Amino acid sequence: MDTKKLNRRANLLTIITKRYGGNQKACAEAWQMKPPMVSRWLASGKVKDPRFINEESARRIESLENLEEYDLDSDPADFSLNREEGAIVVKKQDAHISVTNAAASMGYGLDSPDFEMIVDTMRVTKSWVNMELPTISSINNLAILPGYGDSMSPTYNSGDLLFVDRGVTNIKDDAIYVFSIDSQLFVKRMIRNPIKKTLIAKSDNDAYGQFEIEEKDQQRMIIHGLIVYAWNKKKL
C-alpha cells in the first residue's frame, strides 16, 4: 500500500484527536465536508470500498489547519501540531543552514566583519543535501554567505548565495574557496604551484587578473571553507 496514503490517515487522526477531541463531525464542518467522508478515510483499511485522502483534500486540510504544504504526507513520527503562529517546525528530515552577515568579494576583496552574525536560516531537506552535495564534510559544517562582484562569472554571479563547507580549512585541490587575508574576504579559484610553493588566486572572469600569494604570506591567510554550491539569483 502507498506509504503516503497511510501517513495521511495517521496524521489526520492526530489532528482530529488533538484539535477536535476526536469529534469527527466538528472537523468535517471545519473542513467543509460531510462527516461520513472523514469516517471512511479513517476506516479505509476496514471497509470493502476504501477511500483515501486524495491530493486536493490533503492540501485543503493543510491550508485550513495552518499547516505547511505536504505536512500530511510526512512520516507520523515527524508530524507535529505544537507550533506557534509563524514558528518553524523542525523535522528529522530537515537541515537548517545558517546565513551569515559576512559578504565575500568575487572581485577585489571586502572587509571581513569584526564578528560574524547569523542573520537568517535556509531550510532544506537532508535528502536534498545528500543528493546535491554528496562530498561535503558534514551537513553541520554548511553555511551560506552572499557573494558580490562579477570576477567569478559565469561560474558564480553577484548576489548568489554561496554554500560553504566550513569543514575544509586547507587548500588541497584546484577549487573555489572563501578565504581572508589582511581582513579582506575573497572568493577565488585557488591553484597550488608546487615548484614555487605559492598559491594563485584566480578569477573565472577573464576580465580580471590573478594574484599570487607567496609562501611567507600564506601564514596570514585564513581558509573559511570550500564553495560547494550556489543558489543562483536570476531575474525573471
Side-chain angles (χ1 to χ4, degrees):
M1 187 179 293
D2 189 341
T3 301
K4 183 165 61 176
K5 293 178 179 178
L6 296 177
N7 289 349
R8 287 176 183 171
R9 185 202 301 167
N11 294 333
L12 189 75
L13 182 59
T14 298
I15 294 173
I16 295 171
T17 302
K18 292 188 175 182
R19 288 190 170 173
Y20 296 92
N23 189 328
Q24 295 182 23
K25 182 178 179 180
C27 69
E29 290 177 355
W31 300 337
Q32 302 168 7
M33 59 182 58
K34 297 179 180 180
M37 178 58 73
V38 177
S39 298
R40 292 189 74 84
W41 282 341
L42 297 179
S44 58
K46 304 176 183 179
V47 297
K48 294 181 180 180
D49 181 22
R51 298 286 179 89
F52 292 98
I53 308 170
N54 61 28
E55 196 77 15
E56 181 182 353
S57 296
R59 303 295 81 86
R60 186 174 75 251
I61 291 171
E62 288 163 349
S63 177
L64 291 170
E65 291 295 327
N66 193 31
L67 299 173
E68 292 186 5
E69 193 173 26
Y70 302 111
D71 266 358
L72 280 178
D73 298 355
S74 64
D75 189 319
D78 298 327
F79 184 71
S80 175
L81 296 174
N82 299 323
R83 177 190 343 199
E84 296 179 0
E85 189 71 25
I88 295 175
V89 176
V90 179
K91 301 177 182 178
K92 292 179 182 178
Q93 69 266 32
D94 287 344
H96 287 76
I97 306 174
S98 299
V99 181
T100 75
N101 66 327
S105 172
M106 297 186 287
Y108 298 108
L110 288 174
D111 290 335
S112 180
D114 293 332
F115 58 93
E116 187 176 285
M117 293 176 57
I118 296 173
V119 296
D120 204 347
T121 59
M122 178 181 287
R123 183 173 62 173
V124 297
T125 62
K126 291 180 180 178
S127 60
W128 179 88
V129 174
N130 293 333
M131 179 176 63
E132 296 291 338
L133 310 173
T135 61
I136 61 171
S137 60
S138 168
I139 289 179
N140 296 329
N141 288 335
L142 285 177
I144 297 172
L145 73 161
Y148 291 101
D150 62 351
S151 75
M152 294 306 294
S153 177
T155 308
Y156 304 129
N157 297 301
S158 187
D160 285 354
L161 295 178
L162 306 177
F163 286 59
V164 184
D165 183 352
R166 304 181 79 163
V168 179
T169 56
N170 293 300
I171 296 175
K172 296 180 180 179
D173 304 311
D174 175 3
I176 299 174
Y177 295 83
V178 180
F179 68 94
S180 59
I181 184 167
D182 296 335
S183 299
Q184 296 286 296
L185 203 59
F186 295 90
V187 173
K188 294 293 179 187
R189 186 176 300 280
M190 303 301 293
I191 303 171
R192 281 194 172 277
N193 185 327
I195 298 175
K196 297 174 63 177
K197 296 183 179 180
T198 60
L199 289 172
I200 299 172
K202 184 179 182 299
S203 301
D204 284 0
N205 186 341
D206 292 337
Y208 289 77
Q210 62 186 37
F211 58 91
E212 199 167 25
I213 304 171
E214 301 289 339
E215 184 178 18
K216 61 182 177 61
D217 296 324
Q218 292 172 25
Q219 298 178 0
R220 309 198 327 263
M221 290 181 65
I222 300 175
I223 309 301
H224 298 284
L226 173 71
I227 303 294
V228 293
Y229 194 85
W231 205 280
N232 296 109
K233 172 189 173 185
K234 292 184 179 180
K235 294 182 179 180
L236 301 178

